[in-house]
Amino acid sequence: MMDELLRAAFDRHEEFVPVAADLRPAIAAGARRRRARRRWAWSGGALLMLALLAVVPQVLPLRPPAIAQLSLGDAPPAHPMQFLLLGTDRKPGAVAEPVRADAIVLLHVDPATRTVYQISIPGDLLLDLPGFGTQKASAAFLFGGYSLTAQAVTGLTGIPIDGGAVVDFEGMQTITKAAGGVELCVDERAVSTHVFLDSEGRVTHDVGAGHPVVYEVGCRHFAAWEALDYLRLGGTSEARDRHLRQYLAAMVRQLSDPVQLSRMIPVASGAVDLHLGDASLATLASAAHLDPARVLGVRLPTRPGDGGLLPAPGGDGLYTALRTTTVPAWLAAHPEQVG
Amino acid sequence: MGEPLTFEDFVEARLQALLRYAVMLTGDPHTAQDLVQETMIRAQLKWRRVAAAGVPEHYVKRMLTNAYIDLNRGSWLRRVVLRAEPVERAGVEDHAQQSADRDQMWHWLGRLPRRQRAALVLRYYEGLSDIEIAEVLGCAVGTVRSSISRALVTLRVHVTPAFEGGTR
């Protein structure tokens, strides 16, 4: 009799069993990550830079093109990769202040079409944080740093993340400075709230010391301080995310120049906190053959919700497209999400 | 000998069953998922050894069961499971609390020593023979039988059949 009760109790709880398919990506990613950890050998700044942008196009510029690659046998896998780039609001010198990730960019790298898609995850998007309930995406960093943020993003999209990098305001300025500034196109006139020009035309952070710096519409060269200031402006977080995508695309174009890249490598290691995860040298190298002109921005479909943004139903189509490498088709059907 | 079983085939065929087994063991879907995930990652990394075992599924089940039994001891799962609350409390108690009235059996299963619960699940849910259970638990057949009879005694004392029967 007791055995019947036991069997009945087990049967009643079968409805709580999770679906196996949901677990498979995590298992595959976990195994890859641990394999990579075993064979991982740190090789310095070059890789830092690779993972930061995941897209540096011509690290090996003199290498013969793709056909020679294919014959190598151990050519890197052609499957798409995901990298997570987090920009935090950590300020220089502020030790005890809570740090959030106010910029979260998922980079989807498709070696087959040599394209990079930048998908901004709005900081206000409400996500399920394992162990912390529903929270804004930007708070994931506060609770659990890079790894919890990566977990939450994977929870949203269902796609494992291969590696990533965390950069704060200062680190970004260092990198931009080392790149000698950046070419940016202003799409909306912006007036600085942080940087001012005094009567002699000198730059100051002193509010009221003179006229605020104004960024007029058009394309031009930005010094590092201008670029960083511009990235912090923008009336909405959506505008800021868009500007960041434009900045990243511009940086990728610049770093496709090996001279530029070599100038960058020595400073990058100090400026970026790298989370390589399971990204091995081979997979990173496969990202190195991308077309600098093919760095596309994608807006995540969202809708307003209670206390933050919610994923819009249309997002599922995007996640499926990411998993199946059919992003171009999805974007063709949803042109409003490009940009 | 035919083709050796690949990890992918094994996942395809057995992952769902392992998840079911883990839920019955832990009483909690989240802990079960973590347990299965970690076990499968480990199994994949040493797949050649797993595939060479007589019954790969028993080998994996043994890994999973050991991990479950070791949950108490600050084992590897403790380190990998990123959870705000301790694993011990994660589901067994909470879940039992919610449905204590409805499901005394589940509640008391959660209070059994883990090895005893594993033996019960293997016999009454997985339908294994005592010899197979001994293989999975890595102990003697006699130990399996005494674990099960001790567990049944505990349950008999605490679970009121009338209550249990009239709940659904």
Side-chain angles (χ1 to χ4, degrees), chain B residues 88-161:
Chain B
E88 178 71 21
R89 280 202 52 243
V92 185
E93 293 284 312
D94 292 352
H95 184 81
Q97 209 55 47
Q98 287 164 16
S99 56
D101 295 339
R102 191 178 70 85
D103 208 334
Q104 286 187 45
M105 179 62 91
W106 201 248
H107 176 75
W108 286 103
L109 270 172
R111 305 202 139 202
L112 289 177
R114 285 161 196 261
R115 196 172 272 277
Q116 289 184 19
R117 178 169 183 161
L120 286 183
V121 175
L122 288 166
R123 182 191 274 181
Y124 295 109
Y125 184 70
E126 298 283 300
L128 297 191
S129 71
D130 289 354
I131 295 168
E132 289 171 314
I133 297 173
E135 196 185 305
V136 171
L137 292 180
C139 63
V141 177
T143 315
V144 171
R145 291 188 183 136
S146 64
S147 296
I148 291 178
S149 67
R150 247 177 290 153
L152 289 177
V153 167
T154 310
L155 293 179
R156 232 170 255 134
V157 169
H158 293 290
V159 179
T160 327

Side-chain angles (χ1 to χ4, degrees), chain A residues 2-3 5-7 9-10 12-14 16-18 20 23-24 26-27 30-31 34-35 38 131 151, chain B residues 11-12 15-16 19 24 29 33 37-38 40-41 44-45 82 84 95 103 105-106 124-125 156 164 168:
Chain A
M2 199 48 68
D3 51 340
L5 291 180
L6 268 168
R7 287 200 184 92
F10 290 137
R12 274 197 299 279
H13 288 84
E14 282 198 331
F16 299 111
V17 175
L23 205 55
R24 294 177 69 161
I27 293 170
R34 245 164 271 179
R35 276 203 193 104
R38 286 178 184 176
Q151 238 182 315
Chain B
V11 167
E12 190 66 48
L15 185 60
Q16 191 65 65
L19 273 166
M24 302 312 156
Q33 203 161 337
Q37 182 177 324
E38 182 59 27
M40 292 303 277
I41 289 171
Q44 183 170 8
L45 292 178
L82 286 170
H95 184 81
D103 208 334
M105 179 62 91
W106 201 248
Y124 295 109
Y125 184 70
R156 232 170 255 134
E164 182 72 11
R168 226 164 120 120

Side-chain angles (χ1 to χ4, degrees), chain A residues 163-331:
Chain A
V166 181
V167 60
D168 61 14
F169 187 78
E170 209 180 356
M172 224 154 132
Q173 184 142 21
T174 309
I175 285 173
T176 318
K177 214 171 186 171
V182 60
E183 300 292 325
L184 284 179
C185 292
V186 177
D187 51 13
E188 257 172 12
R189 184 176 188 269
V191 179
S192 179
T193 51
H194 314 106
V195 192
F196 305 88
L197 295 176
D198 67 14
S199 53
E200 280 147 48
R202 281 181 309 219
V203 178
T204 168
H205 291 274
D206 204 356
V207 181
H211 303 288
V213 172
V214 177
Y215 304 99
E216 301 289 352
V217 174
C219 299
R220 67 177 177 91
H221 182 266
F222 276 57
W225 65 266
E226 287 178 303
L228 269 290
D229 181 38
Y230 175 66
L231 289 180
R232 289 162 81 194
L233 298 173
T236 61
S237 61
E238 194 178 328
R240 279 193 297 276
D241 279 342
R242 185 177 67 241
H243 296 161
L244 181 65
R245 292 194 297 268
Q246 291 162 354
Y247 163 87
L248 287 174
M251 285 298 273
V252 169
R253 274 195 297 278
Q254 273 174 245
L255 294 178
S256 66
D257 171 5
V259 177
Q260 279 259 15
L261 180 64
S262 66
R263 220 184 286 152
M264 175 79 55
I265 287 169
V267 299
S269 57
V272 181
D273 177 17
L274 191 64
H275 296 262
L276 278 164
D278 60 339
S280 68
L281 185 54
T283 52
L284 284 176
S286 76
H289 295 275
L290 294 159
D291 187 342
R294 297 185 64 82
V295 181
L296 301 178
V298 180
R299 290 215 312 275
L300 195 74
T302 55
R303 61 189 165 90
D306 192 16
L309 293 170
L310 292 170
D316 292 340
L318 174 59
Y319 310 144
T320 308
L322 289 170
R323 277 195 295 271
T324 54
T325 334
T326 51
V327 182
W330 187 86
L331 284 177

Side-chain angles (χ1 to χ4, degrees), chain A residues 18-229:
Chain A
V19 180
D22 295 348
L23 205 55
R24 294 177 69 161
I27 293 170
R32 267 192 286 146
R33 188 172 304 135
R34 245 164 271 179
R35 276 203 193 104
R37 208 180 288 159
R38 286 178 184 176
R39 71 173 110 89
W40 178 251
W42 188 255
S43 62
L47 284 171
L48 270 164
M49 221 34 238
L50 273 168
L52 166 66
L53 296 170
V55 286
V56 178
Q58 293 162 18
V59 195
L60 312 165
L62 301 176
R63 203 125 173 220
I67 295 168
Q69 282 271 311
L70 288 175
S71 65
L72 284 177
D74 60 345
H79 62 77
M81 285 172 293
Q82 264 67 230
F83 295 90
L84 191 65
L85 193 57
L86 303 181
T88 71
D89 59 2
R90 191 169 75 89
K91 312 244 175 4
V95 180
E97 273 179 43
V99 177
R100 290 181 171 75
D102 48 9
I104 305 174
V105 183
L106 183 65
L107 298 173
H108 174 79
V109 180
D110 181 5
T113 55
R114 304 175 72 213
T115 308
V116 181
Y117 300 95
Q118 305 181 45
I119 300 143
S120 300
I121 313 243
D124 284 340
L125 186 67
L126 296 171
L127 292 178
D128 181 39
L129 296 191
F132 298 94
T134 302
Q135 303 282 350
K136 286 186 177 179
S138 60
F141 194 83
L142 179 70
F143 290 127
Y146 171 84
S147 60
L148 186 65
T149 312
Q151 238 182 315
V153 172
T154 299
L156 172 72
T157 61
I159 313 162
I161 287 166
D162 297 280
V166 181
V167 60
D168 61 14
F169 187 78
E170 209 180 356
M172 224 154 132
Q173 184 142 21
T174 309
I175 285 173
T176 318
K177 214 171 186 171
V182 60
E183 300 292 325
L184 284 179
C185 292
V186 177
D187 51 13
E188 257 172 12
R189 184 176 188 269
V191 179
S192 179
T193 51
H194 314 106
V195 192
F196 305 88
L197 295 176
D198 67 14
S199 53
E200 280 147 48
R202 281 181 309 219
V203 178
T204 168
H205 291 274
D206 204 356
V207 181
H211 303 288
V213 172
V214 177
Y215 304 99
E216 301 289 352
V217 174
C219 299
R220 67 177 177 91
H221 182 266
F222 276 57
W225 65 266
E226 287 178 303
L228 269 290
D229 181 38

Side-chain angles (χ1 to χ4, degrees), chain B residues 50-70:
Chain B
V50 178
V55 185
E57 187 179 0
H58 284 184
Y59 194 107
V60 174
K61 222 174 242 174
R62 183 171 177 172
M63 290 171 67
L64 200 153
T65 311
N66 285 337
Y68 160 69
I69 291 170
D70 284 347

Side-chain angles (χ1 to χ4, degrees), chain B residues 3-67:
Chain B
E3 286 282 295
L5 180 69
T6 68
F7 179 75
E8 286 67 30
D9 289 342
F10 180 77
V11 167
E12 190 66 48
R14 304 312 308 164
L15 185 60
Q16 191 65 65
L18 285 169
L19 273 166
R20 278 200 293 270
Y21 172 61
V23 168
M24 302 312 156
L25 271 188
T26 61
D28 167 54
H30 297 291
T31 314
Q33 203 161 337
D34 291 336
L35 200 60
V36 171
Q37 182 177 324
E38 182 59 27
T39 304
M40 292 303 277
I41 289 171
R42 299 180 139 222
Q44 183 170 8
L45 292 178
K46 58 174 192 175
W47 183 248
R48 221 173 306 168
R49 208 185 317 163
V50 178
V55 185
E57 187 179 0
H58 284 184
Y59 194 107
V60 174
K61 222 174 242 174
R62 183 171 177 172
M63 290 171 67
L64 200 153
T65 311
N66 285 337

